[in-house]
Amino acid sequence: MSNRRNFKKYVRAVCGDLAAGILETSYAFEGVKHSDVRAIISDIATLQVDTLAKAGVAYDKCPSAMEAGEYRKARRAYFHKAYKALADEFNNSVKDILKKINAALPADVRESLKEAAK
C-alpha cells in the first residue's frame, strides 16, 4: 500500500466483502450452520479491528538525527517495510478465514461451486 489511508480503505473493503459474502452464502444455500456464520463474522470483525489498530505505526527518529535526504529515504523505507509486513499478515489471516468459509459450506454446495467455476 502506498500509505496508511489507502491501507485502511483496503482493510475495510476486504473485511466488508468477506462478511457480505458469508452472509449471502448462508442465505443462498441450505445446510450452512448459523453458528459457523456467526463465528466467521466475529473473526472478520476482530481481524479488521486488530489490523486497523496496528496500522497506526510511527517513525521513531527525528529529522535532526540525520541529514534531510537520508531522513526522507529512511522514513519512506521504514513505512514501506512496516505496511508490507502488516499487509502480508492481513492477507494470511484472510486466507485462514476463506478456509473457514469453505469448511462451513456443505460438501454438495462446494462441488457445485467448483463445477460452476470451471
Side-chain angles (χ1 to χ4, degrees), residues 11 13 22:
V11 168
I22 188 63

Side-chain angles (χ1 to χ4, degrees), residues 74-104:
R75 185 173 182 263
R76 179 173 287 161
Y78 174 81
F79 282 118
H80 179 73
K81 185 178 177 183
Y83 283 119
K84 176 144 178 55
L86 189 56
D88 289 342
E89 179 184 334
F90 176 73
N91 290 331
N92 290 334
S93 298
V94 168
K95 287 179 186 176
D96 293 340
I97 289 174
L98 287 174
K99 288 178 185 177
K100 289 179 185 180
I101 290 171
N102 287 331

Side-chain angles (χ1 to χ4, degrees), residues 22 32-42 100 103-105:
I22 188 63
V32 179
K33 295 179 186 174
H34 293 291
S35 60
D36 291 344
V37 172
R38 282 191 292 271
I40 292 169
I41 290 177
S42 175
K100 289 179 185 180
L105 292 174

